[in-house]
Amino acid sequence: MIRPDPALRYERLDALRGAAVVWMAIFHFCFDLDHFGLIAADFKHDPFWTWQRTAIVSLFLFCAGLGQSVALAQGQRWPRFWRRWAQVAGCALLVSAGSWLMFPRSFISFGVLHAMALMLLILRLLAPRLPLAALFGLGLLALAAPLLWQHPVFDSRWTNWVGLVTAKPFTEDYVPLLPWIGVMLWGCALGRWRPALLQGALPAMLAPLAALGRWSLSFYMLHQPLLIGLLMAVTMAA
């Protein structure tokens, strides 16, 4: 059983989140290299890159679901939830603004942080009221929904956040509610079902990943400006 101590950290969860952060940074660095013409890669169609993106987003959302299971088991109060939620939502708005400056035709209107902000609200409202089987079942339905039904009404920038689109929108990042909330639901369900997986000692060699995972949002917001700035300096000096 997860102990009701809001100050307690679960290093295994932090390390898993840290691994996602490192993988994301490597992926984005390769994307930036392609953007500046330093390598040639097809990030939109090559399965080597598209599957990596899917895995990275899945890992982040799965960790978020695990984190919600911990927060609910520890009795996290709404004021603490709202503080964290405001950080995620605020960063999502910054991502939209920054991407609009750099990619005005394909700026990010509903990326991973936008999705996470919405999904955290849904989980916070639903998870305490649903049995474990319902969490797993809803997760499966969410994952299957875009495969079973799509409609043009969801193709606009104002509605594509639902995910039931007939064609993927032209944007730098797109993480719609469906199917992705299914991953977060499964993370939350697994954390409730097997909380012992998150507990226990972490090997010393993984401690740096755990430390990085505790600052994942800050790293997410800073790593791309730093990488892009570095590559701009390199290309101008060449």
Side-chain angles (χ1 to χ4, degrees):
M1 182 176 180
I2 293 178
R3 295 181 290 276
D5 180 1
L8 183 65
R9 299 293 313 192
Y10 289 86
E11 290 192 332
R12 291 184 180 182
L13 176 55
D14 287 334
L16 187 61
R17 194 182 296 111
V21 164
V22 171
W23 193 357
M24 172 196 69
I26 294 172
F27 181 89
H28 281 167
F29 182 61
C30 294
F31 178 88
D32 296 338
L33 288 173
D34 174 70
H35 178 73
F36 283 95
L38 299 175
I39 65 170
D42 185 355
F43 282 84
K44 293 188 180 297
H45 304 101
D46 188 342
F48 177 79
W49 299 111
T50 58
W51 280 104
Q52 282 194 71
R53 178 192 177 275
T54 298
I56 294 167
V57 173
S58 297
L59 190 52
F60 269 114
L61 295 178
F62 192 74
C63 286
L66 289 171
Q68 279 303 291
S69 73
V70 170
L72 291 170
Q74 290 179 338
Q76 184 193 66
R77 296 183 181 274
W78 277 102
R80 184 178 176 88
F81 169 83
W82 283 123
R83 285 196 296 271
R84 184 58 175 172
W85 182 87
Q87 292 174 345
V88 175
C91 287
L93 293 176
L94 289 175
V95 166
S96 290
S99 64
W100 182 80
L101 290 173
M102 191 164 183
F103 307 102
R105 293 182 60 249
S106 58
F107 75 94
I108 300 169
S109 59
F110 204 83
V112 65
L113 291 183
H114 306 73
M116 195 171 292
L118 177 58
M119 293 176 196
L120 287 175
L121 277 176
I122 294 173
L123 252 69
R124 179 74 186 197
L125 293 170
L126 288 184
R129 296 168 173 82
L130 294 178
L132 184 62
L135 287 178
F136 279 116
L138 282 176
L140 180 60
L141 286 175
L143 291 169
L147 301 175
L148 300 175
W149 189 61
Q150 309 90 33
H151 195 278
V153 73
F154 297 107
D155 288 344
S156 77
R157 190 179 287 275
W158 297 104
T159 58
N160 62 28
W161 60 270
V162 177
L164 302 176
V165 296
T166 61
K168 185 179 177 181
F170 180 56
T171 178
E172 297 302 316
D173 189 29
Y174 177 57
V175 183
L177 181 67
L178 299 170
W180 291 104
I181 194 173
V183 179
M184 192 181 286
L185 285 166
W186 278 4
C188 185
L190 180 63
R192 184 194 294 183
W193 182 39
R194 291 288 187 266
L197 294 173
L198 304 177
Q199 301 169 358
L202 187 72
M205 65 182 295
L206 297 180
L209 281 181
L212 183 60
R214 287 191 284 273
W215 295 92
S216 57
L217 184 58
S218 299
F219 187 94
Y220 181 90
M221 294 302 296
L222 293 174
H223 80 287
Q224 272 292 66
L226 292 174
L227 288 176
I228 290 172
L230 174 64
L231 289 175
M232 287 180 67
V234 169
T235 54
M236 287 190 294

